[in-house]
Amino acid sequence: MNAALAAHTPDSRYAWFRLGISLVLAVVGGIGLWLSVVVLPTIQAEFGVDRAGASLPYTATFIGFAFGGFTMGRVADRYGITVPVSIAGVALCAGFVLAALSQNYWQFVAVQAVLIGFLGSAATFGPLVADTSQWFLKQRGIAIAIVASGNYIAGTIWPPFMQGAIESYGWRTTYMAIGVICLVVMLPLAQLLKRRPHFDDTASPASANAGQKGLLPKHPLLYPALVLAGLSCCVAMSMPQVHIVAYCADLGYGPARGAEMLSIMLGFGVLSRLVSGLIADRIGGLYTLIAGSFLQMLALLFYIPFDGLTSLYVVSALFGLSQGGIVPSYALIIRDHFPAREAGSRISTVLTATVFGMALGGWLSGEIYDWTGSYTAAFVNGIGWNVLNLGIALWILHVRKPRAPLAAVAA
């Protein structure tokens, strides 16, 4: 192998360079997912809608994000990651500026869905995760975890800054400034990712040692089960992430405290994703999924009895620690069982399901709040979806276990 080829092999220095660029792109592009959460109370007052209506821009953004993830994943498979990320930079700039100029509620919702969700932030999650997975083998778990942490880092650093900017300059001016930032950062960085990967179907060492390679395609229900698992885990996950700001406002603590809790939640989510990535490189993606799903369910339970200010800070930190490794585990499972050339579309499809889950859960929690006048039933609803996710993960574990041949059993 010549020096030029070796420099661009999996786990090389170049692979880590790409990972760093991808992480920055994910952090900047991920702002489109969280700004609508921070402005939820402001939008409710600005356009005179109820809590479910104020949640709809978030839901619309995630629906657009979901369809965009699948579409941009296919574009990345065909043309490389530079094309969808460049489109995203332009779309996010245009989207934030047009959202700031919206004269009515439905204009705002449409811009959030199409420009910010579908054409914008979508390219900075699933497609970037899939591209990164092509450049790592021995350290695939931690690499995927790092780039998948980008939207959590965005949720950690952006909300306090955005809340302060909204209070000082108004939400419209804040939107315009964010749009300019996306354009000037994302377009130049996208050009640094033009090199295409060498597709390699080798399983990661952790999954190979666990005997997982090649098991998923043999069962026709396993891939659909992964899609449903992605949907259900994120319906549960969205309840605190989407409504914590409004929840704190309802309890009398104010939206600023809620923004701080969201930042803490996602900050600990970053730590959780990194640790889960290291663990996944030892035990594989499926076992990491099972552990994360169980811990997330426990954290959701804690939100119901503990609603004091200090308690909510603690529970939000625990929630972040519990659920950060769930979504990256799906990418690991897929890369270990399906052809590398299908990584962009398959990973983006499952991650699209997780985004649909976030969209559905964000809207459904708002509807449940409007029906009941409190968030208790919404937390219970999230726990139910989490039970479904854990059940699917345990079923996959059961199905993929090697069975003894019939002749050996008969003997």
Side-chain angles (χ1 to χ4, degrees), residues 38-39 42 158-168 245 255-256 259:
V38 176
V39 300
T42 305
W158 287 113
F161 165 77
M162 291 185 295
Q163 184 64 42
I166 290 169
E167 292 174 355
S168 299
V245 176

Side-chain angles (χ1 to χ4, degrees), residues 4-140:
L5 181 60
H8 300 97
T9 55
D11 301 290
S12 64
R13 292 179 62 183
Y14 174 73
W16 285 98
F17 168 77
R18 289 183 64 96
L19 176 59
I21 298 300
S22 297
L23 178 60
V24 174
L25 288 167
V27 171
V28 176
I31 191 174
L33 304 178
W34 303 113
L35 190 48
S36 60
V37 176
V38 176
V39 300
L40 191 153
T42 305
I43 293 303
Q44 185 173 3
E46 174 90 7
F47 295 112
V49 294
D50 60 16
R51 185 60 53 80
S55 303
L56 185 59
Y58 169 87
T59 300
T61 302
F62 266 77
I63 290 175
F65 183 86
F67 283 109
F70 174 75
T71 303
M72 293 299 184
R74 293 180 68 88
V75 171
D77 278 344
R78 183 167 183 177
Y79 301 107
I81 193 63
T82 294
V83 173
V85 172
S86 298
I87 293 172
V90 175
L92 283 170
C93 179
F96 282 121
V97 171
L98 290 176
L101 298 176
S102 296
Q103 297 302 305
N104 63 64
Y105 172 74
W106 291 110
Q107 287 178 2
F108 181 80
V109 172
V111 170
Q112 286 279 161
V114 178
L115 290 175
I116 296 177
F118 182 81
L119 294 174
S121 294
T124 64
F125 186 45
L128 277 177
V129 170
D131 180 77
T132 298
S133 75
Q134 306 282 20
W135 290 94
F136 290 87
L137 177 59
K138 295 180 180 179
Q139 297 169 303
R140 184 179 290 165

Side-chain angles (χ1 to χ4, degrees), residues 21 25 82 85-86 89 181-194:
I21 298 300
L25 288 167
T82 294
V85 172
S86 298
I181 291 173
C182 289
L183 183 67
V184 300
V185 172
M186 294 179 66
L187 277 186
L189 290 183
Q191 309 312 308
L192 300 177
L193 302 179
K194 286 186 175 180

